[in-house]
Amino acid sequence: MRKKKKTETQYLEGAVITDMAADGLALARVEDKVYFIEGAVPGDVVNARVLRDKKRYAMAQMTELITPSPQRIDAVCEHFDYCGGCKWQNLSYATQLEYKGKQVYDALTRLGKLDLSEQVRVYGSTQQYEFRNKLEFTFSPSRWLTPEELADESILKPQPGVGFHLPGRFDKVLHVDTCHLMDDKMNLIRNHVHQLGLEHGLTRYNVREHHGFLRTLTIRNTSLGEWMVLLMVGEDQPEALKLVLDSLASTFPWINSLLYVINTKKNDTLYDQEVLVWKGSDVIVEALEDLRFEISAKSFFQTNSKQALELYKITRDFAGLTGKELVYDLYTGTGSIAQFVAAKAKKVIGVEYVEAAVVDARKNAEKNGISNCEFFAGDMKDLLNDEFLAKHGRPDLIITDPPRAGMHADVVEMLCRIGAPRIVYVSCNPATQARDLDLMRAHYRLVKYQPVDMFPQTAHVENVALLEKI
Ligand SMILES: C[S@@+](CC[C@H](N)C(=O)[O-])C[C@H]1O[C@@H](n2cnc3c(N)ncnc32)[C@H](O)[C@@H]1O
């Protein structure tokens, strides 16, 4: 294997992929330098073009697969080469789980500086496709064309489309005919609106010039088989709106909640917009065991419902509640973990930043007949203070489920000061979790942990850790 220079661009020849990096890129070591190579998997021997060359590492793109790895499989999706969504589709699921487990182990041992004997098996998802309950698609008057399409003179340009943004590109939409991440009914709905748009010459939103009618389409479902469809349009065109929504309602009578938003502002954010009901309810209902959660267009809910149930069961199991405990559920979102453990606790206090989520949490708890949960809105580092503790009591157990950035250093410090006997730390980012555990090392020890796969075909992995006060 050798590295050679061709004019300005560097190429790697015969690079052997030996590992997978934390962000899901394949890794090769050549002459003491680490290369992160897009498109390759461990065990491959590849040629690659260097995209960015730094002193100690370089980013590269596979240009030729010389010897395929035995772990390599064919991707299911026709859009795999360009869509950024499911980059691990070319790895067998067993191998995906192996590398996710390694990612957690590496984070805990290297960043968390923990002494762990062995890697824990990741709790895999029974569904490896069609596991998502929510997808958002963007319409474009001029979809991004693949190099093959650009070269094809029989394809008129520009081409309208609907699909996902290319990785990191707000203005480039990859047209999608079939996505395998959600029940196939989602494809029928999206393709129907796309076809209607073509047949009736409906304009599509131009993100640079800020005009056009069809803007985004958000499709959600629940494990109870309920469907929500939200059409966002960029211009107030009552006739066109009626045409699309009536057609959706009559073609797919099983849609429980058909919604729309007329959004004439420059960004796609829904949260400051009025969501209107065209047909049916303004919510759909999700179930976790015997609990029910009403989900509105603006509500957050874990995007893999079946695996969320498993994650919550592991969390409840790690919590080991007896019915006597005061529990704090930090970063509670719409209070689903709080309600999930409520029957086994004396009382649960949920804290969350987003006011609307707290409103949903209170409403759902009431509908579930849960009277021992209270929810408070505020920034964790400000709200969780001595006054809050004096008012609500010192917790016997803390469950914390922060966003990818992990906990703010002030919150970590506060948790150490509170000194609850046990903490269950649920994380969607093992690196920041490991960083936080390291900050807590003088006060807490790791008893056990369980990685959970919420997002097959991606490098993402969730990890639940049980900590005990030293
Ligand atoms: C990973 S989600 C967890 C949601 C919830 N536990 C669940 O399972 O559905 C993280 C939550 O933390 C909230 N959050 C983010 N930053 C926050 C902060 N500084 N203070 C309080 N909550 C915050 C987010 O709004 C989000 O609901």
Side-chain angles (χ1 to χ4, degrees):
M1 198 277 314
R2 70 195 173 88
K3 190 176 71 168
K4 78 174 184 189
K5 260 194 174 171
K6 278 188 191 166
T7 61
E8 302 277 89
T9 314
Q10 281 190 50
Y11 291 87
L12 280 176
E13 283 183 5
V16 182
I17 310 296
T18 52
D19 205 348
M20 197 62 108
D23 51 9
L25 291 176
L27 190 150
R29 282 196 172 78
V30 182
E31 294 166 13
D32 287 340
K33 191 165 187 167
V34 173
Y35 288 82
F36 298 102
I37 304 182
E38 252 180 70
V41 308
D44 281 347
V45 180
V46 303
N47 288 341
R49 183 163 54 92
V50 177
L51 305 172
R52 228 170 340 125
D53 194 17
K54 302 277 183 194
K55 202 164 168 212
R56 298 179 56 191
Y57 73 94
M59 309 298 292
Q61 171 77 52
M62 181 178 83
T63 49
E64 196 185 341
L65 178 59
I66 300 171
T67 313
S69 160
Q71 293 163 358
R72 188 177 259 282
I73 57 168
D74 289 337
V76 165
C77 181
E78 64 190 275
H79 306 295
F80 174 71
D81 286 345
Y82 301 106
C83 181
C86 307
K87 279 299 178 202
W88 275 14
Q89 270 191 66
N90 55 2
L91 269 184
S92 70
Y93 190 55
T95 311
Q96 290 182 27
L97 293 183
E98 181 66 24
Y99 281 109
K100 288 184 195 223
K102 185 171 179 299
Q103 193 190 128
V104 174
Y105 179 85
D106 286 350
L108 293 176
T109 50
R110 290 182 193 162
L111 305 171
K113 303 179 194 95
L114 290 162
D115 188 14
L116 303 176
S117 53
E118 59 185 31
Q119 203 172 306
V120 173
R121 278 171 74 97
V122 178
Y123 191 99
S125 174
T126 46
Q127 280 174 291
Q128 287 135 38
Y129 287 96
E130 301 195 0
F131 56 82
R132 280 188 71 100
N133 57 28
K134 182 182 178 188
L135 285 175
E136 181 180 322
F137 300 98
T138 303
F139 291 93
S140 168
S142 170
R143 68 178 167 92
W144 180 81
L145 295 168
T146 63
E148 301 80 46
E149 287 172 326
L150 271 179
D152 185 342
E153 287 177 6
S154 69
I155 295 179
L156 288 178
K157 289 146 192 121
Q159 273 286 319
V162 58
F164 297 121
H165 289 279
L166 285 181
R169 299 301 300 260
F170 83 100
D171 58 342
K172 299 250 183 294
V173 170
L174 173 79
H175 179 74
V176 168
D177 285 314
T178 307
C179 172
H180 301 274
L181 285 180
M182 199 172 170
D183 183 302
D184 190 48
K185 284 177 172 173
M186 161 274 301
N187 288 311
L188 300 180
I189 296 169
R190 186 202 55 249
N191 291 345
H192 184 79
V193 180
H194 175 59
Q195 277 308 322
L196 267 184
L198 293 179
E199 282 161 23
H200 296 269
L202 303 178
T203 57
R204 292 165 199 239
Y205 196 75
N206 182 319
V207 278
R208 291 197 174 276
E209 295 167 15
H210 300 293
H211 58 77
F213 178 66
L214 296 172
R215 195 161 175 172
T216 65
L217 187 70
T218 305
I219 305 177
R220 297 178 86 157
N221 70 355
T222 69
S223 50
L224 295 177
E226 299 201 0
W227 286 81
M228 173 182 278
V229 176
L230 169 71
L231 178 71
M232 182 184 282
V233 295
E235 288 171 356
D236 190 2
Q237 296 186 26
E239 277 181 27
L241 190 66
K242 184 168 169 15
L243 173 90
V244 178
L245 293 173
D246 276 352
S247 179
L248 279 174
S250 60
T251 313
F252 309 110
W254 37 262
I255 295 176
N256 306 78
S257 171
L258 182 56
L259 311 171
Y260 67 101
V261 167
I262 301 170
N263 173 14
T264 54
K265 70 186 165 83
K266 287 189 175 168
N267 65 54
D268 286 347
T269 314
L270 181 69
Y271 295 95
D272 52 358
Q273 297 291 294
E274 190 183 4
V275 177
L276 300 159
V277 177
W278 187 264
K279 190 190 151 208
S281 171
D282 60 344
V283 293
I284 48 174
V285 179
E286 182 55 285
L288 289 175
E289 293 183 336
D290 54 352
L291 300 175
R292 295 291 176 271
F293 295 87
E294 285 193 351
I295 299 171
S296 68
K298 294 181 188 176
S299 299
F300 169 82
F301 199 84
Q302 294 275 355
T303 35
N304 179 347
S305 303
K306 281 206 179 128
Q307 201 66 347
L309 177 61
E310 301 308 314
L311 180 78
Y312 291 173
K313 281 190 200 162
I314 291 164
T315 304
R316 187 174 58 191
D317 179 43
F318 275 22
L321 297 167
T322 63
K324 294 190 189 131
E325 296 85 355
L326 171 63
V327 178
Y328 277 16
D329 179 29
L330 308 183
Y331 308 90
T332 191
T334 44
S336 32
I337 295 182
Q339 293 175 64
F340 199 73
V341 302
K344 296 208 179 274
K346 187 167 148 214
K347 186 170 182 183
V348 188
I349 306 273
V351 182
E352 160 64 36
Y353 191 69
V354 178
E355 189 95 41
V358 168
V359 171
D360 280 348
R362 289 186 186 130
K363 209 168 59 186
N364 282 320
E366 197 186 327
K367 292 212 167 176
N368 282 318
I370 294 174
S371 55
N372 64 340
C373 284
E374 278 190 71
F375 297 99
F376 299 94
D379 191 326
M380 200 64 64
K381 68 178 174 6
D382 306 325
L383 199 68
L384 192 67
N385 55 25
D386 292 325
E387 200 187 324
F388 189 89
L389 285 175
K391 193 163 171 204
H392 301 288
R394 295 189 91 79
D396 303 297
L397 173 87
I398 292 177
I399 298 172
T400 183
D401 182 10
R404 285 188 65 73
M407 294 190 284
H408 190 282
D410 292 353
V411 178
V412 175
E413 197 187 316
M414 188 62 188
L415 291 199
C416 294
R417 226 152 45 78
I418 294 172
R422 279 170 302 130
I423 295 177
V424 180
Y425 189 151
V426 184
S427 166
C428 52
N429 185 347
T432 55
Q433 182 186 46
R435 176 204 66 199
D436 292 349
L437 296 196
D438 186 38
L439 291 172
M440 297 164 88
R441 65 168 49 249
H443 303 266
Y444 283 92
R445 71 175 187 93
L446 177 70
V447 179
K448 56 181 172 177
Y449 72 97
Q450 178 60 60
V452 180
D453 184 22
M454 305 288 285
F455 300 106
Q457 322 306 339
T458 75
H460 291 285
V461 60
E462 201 97 0
N463 189 40
V464 187
L466 173 63
L467 314 179
E468 198 172 67
K469 181 99 182 81
I470 294 171

